[in-house]
Amino acid sequence: MLKTAFLFAGQGAQYPGMGQSLYETSAAARQVFQQAEALRPGTIEQCFAGSEDMLRQTENNQPCLFTVDLACAAALTESGVQADCAAGFSLGEIAALAFCGLLSFEQAFSLVCRRGEWMAKAARRHPGLMTAVLRLDEKTVTALCGEFTQVFPVNWNCPGQVVVAGEAGQLADFEARVTASKGKTIRLKVSGAFHSPFMAEAADALAAYVQDLPFATPRIPLYANVTAGLYGDPQVLVPLQVKSPVLWQKTMENMLQAQVNAFVELGPGRTLSGFLRKISGDFCCMNVEDADSCQKTALELKGAGHD
């Protein structure tokens, strides 16, 4: 019998037109988009017709991705697939909070809008960039980061890939050191040095904001980026997450140890699916980002015995 995890995509996976085919074919997905539009007019247009530059801006990216992630989950659930546990990568964790019932859609959407605004403000006040480091082990990446005062390992994604954030000039020098060490770097399509000390001001603003939110107990197990374990106090974890590393590889390993054997990536792209295949190949891995992939995933899971 399958034990299924829903994984919600994060920033960097966005593209113009994301979610449109689900809006056109799934009543449940359409409702998610309409809820977002009512709270933040223009969200649908940004998702379907926004430029890459517009979608890269954090204050647009976060509410749009949140909406698409949850629309994908709604469409798959509408097809008869239920999740046994969940996690979200970075921004995706806020979508996972809503999906798991810790907050209502309206509360989580307002949270993600404030989160995007405050992180964008912090990025303007403390400019930085992010780069993925490939072909080097974690120890080597950590040592190279230690050669710089404003460069930090922030996303532990999978074997052979660590994302690093930092000040633009130092990050360029860091990338040169990676190349000299026979590694490879790929700049990410984001607008700040997220999950690093550069986001401290955003974390402080979120800490004050979430004190008034009525968080509920998750209806299914939810895993946290900060600890890689089951979710603890959201009023601590939600603000801490924006300035702390994402322990994604360890999160997936913990899910596998908990007997999860089917993973569904929800939202644009297949980034999280790629990470999973490098962590372990002994499971079923699918994605939902449009109408075709939703139909395919629902059929595969039902065919494999998902109830």
Side-chain angles (χ1 to χ4, degrees):
M1 187 174 187
L2 292 183
K3 184 175 182 180
T4 303
F6 280 14
L7 308 178
F8 294 83
Q11 283 183 260
Q14 68 277 353
Y15 56 79
M18 58 184 182
Q20 185 167 359
S21 65
L22 287 171
Y23 179 89
E24 295 168 348
T25 59
S26 165
R30 190 178 310 116
Q31 183 179 16
V32 171
F33 278 106
Q34 290 171 342
Q35 285 180 285
E37 184 70 16
L39 295 168
R40 180 180 178 270
T43 298
I44 290 176
E45 182 178 0
Q46 286 183 342
C47 290
F48 298 169
S51 67
E52 289 189 10
D53 286 342
M54 177 185 291
L55 288 171
R56 189 177 294 121
Q57 296 172 18
T58 302
E59 57 268 47
N60 297 327
N61 183 293
Q62 296 204 20
C64 287
L65 266 176
F66 171 93
T67 301
V68 175
D69 282 4
L70 282 178
C72 292
L76 186 59
T77 302
E78 182 183 47
S79 298
V81 176
Q82 300 295 322
D84 297 298
C85 60
F89 189 97
S90 186
L91 170 279
E93 185 165 284
I94 310 302
L97 287 172
F99 178 79
C100 292
L102 279 80
L103 294 172
S104 69
F105 180 92
E106 292 80 6
Q107 291 163 343
F109 190 80
S110 295
L111 169 61
V112 85
C113 288
R114 303 292 84 74
R115 184 181 187 270
E117 291 169 5
W118 288 325
M119 290 175 73
K121 183 178 179 180
R124 289 191 292 269
R125 287 175 57 85
H126 308 283
L129 300 169
M130 300 176 77
T131 191
V133 180
L134 311 179
R135 303 174 183 166
L136 296 180
D137 60 41
E138 294 180 5
K139 184 177 180 180
T140 301
V141 175
T142 301
L144 290 175
C145 288
E147 297 178 11
F148 301 88
T149 59
Q150 298 296 314
V151 174
F152 309 93
V154 294
N155 297 346
W156 305 95
N157 291 339
C158 62
Q161 183 178 139
V162 178
V163 171
V164 171
E167 184 273 330
Q170 289 198 13
L171 197 66
D173 292 339
F174 167 82
E175 289 171 329
R177 288 287 291 117
V178 169
T179 301
S181 301
K182 303 189 184 306
K184 178 181 178 181
T185 60
I186 301 174
R187 283 286 176 96
L188 302 191
K189 296 187 292 182
V190 295
S191 58
F194 305 132
H195 299 290
S196 78
F198 284 47
M199 292 291 112
E201 291 176 6
D204 290 343
L206 277 168
Y209 181 81
V210 300
Q211 293 307 308
D212 295 325
L213 290 181
F215 289 100
T217 301
R219 61 181 181 81
I220 59 173
L222 172 64
Y223 288 75
N225 287 178
V226 174
T227 65
L230 294 177
Y231 224 81
D233 184 352
Q235 292 178 328
V236 174
L237 291 174
V238 169
L240 185 60
Q241 190 233 36
V242 303
K243 65 176 182 179
S244 302
V246 174
L247 306 181
W248 192 252
Q249 179 178 339
K250 182 62 176 175
T251 301
M252 296 301 99
E253 290 170 347
N254 286 342
M255 282 187 164
L256 289 166
Q257 290 176 5
Q259 307 304 311
V260 174
N261 54 10
F263 295 84
V264 183
E265 179 175 2
L266 298 153
R270 300 183 181 183
T271 300
L272 304 183
S273 301
F275 294 162
L276 270 165
R277 292 187 177 97
K278 293 180 180 179
I279 295 168
S280 173
D282 189 23
F283 52 78
C284 179
C285 183
M286 292 146 288
N287 80 299
V288 173
E289 63 179 319
D290 54 27
D292 288 344
S293 57
C294 184
Q295 182 180 36
K296 179 181 177 182
T297 294
L299 289 173
E300 287 187 9
L301 285 172
K302 291 175 181 178
H306 189 286
D307 292 329

